[in-house]
Amino acid sequence: MPEDEPLDLDTETQRIGRRIRDVRERQGLTQEKVFLTVPMNRAYYQDIEAGRANPTLQTLLRIAHALGVPLAELVG
């Protein structure tokens, strides 16, 4: 992305949510398995995957750990 282009946080949040869902599905994991492993509230995890929530870095790190992938795979 060019430096002078503004960052669209909604688009980035949706992209990260899709990547989390894609990694989870590739690994054959359910949402329940991930949110219980993290641990976190079911609705909040579903909102993250749907791109409706803006998770903190700490939350993204916990999700990456639960999925067994580096953080960069979810946000890169």
Side-chain angles (χ1 to χ4, degrees):
M1 172 182 330
E3 287 185 32
D4 58 345
E5 203 172 300
L7 180 63
D8 182 347
L9 292 179
D10 289 337
T11 300
E12 289 302 309
T13 301
Q14 291 168 356
R15 185 182 60 79
I16 290 169
R18 279 192 307 272
R19 291 184 95 158
I20 291 170
R21 183 192 64 227
D22 291 346
V23 169
R24 177 183 59 76
E25 289 177 347
R26 268 198 324 264
Q27 295 184 3
L29 299 172
T30 63
Q31 285 185 338
E32 182 175 30
K33 174 69 174 170
V34 178
F35 73 71
L36 289 175
T37 301
V38 168
M40 70 172 34
N41 175 280
R42 174 193 310 257
Y44 182 52
Y45 181 80
Q46 290 170 333
D47 284 348
I48 291 170
E49 278 199 8
R52 294 185 299 261
N54 187 5
T56 64
L57 177 58
Q58 181 179 10
T59 297
L60 290 172
L61 285 166
R62 291 190 337 225
I63 292 170
H65 182 74
L67 294 171
V69 298
L71 178 62
E73 189 166 337
L74 302 181
V75 299

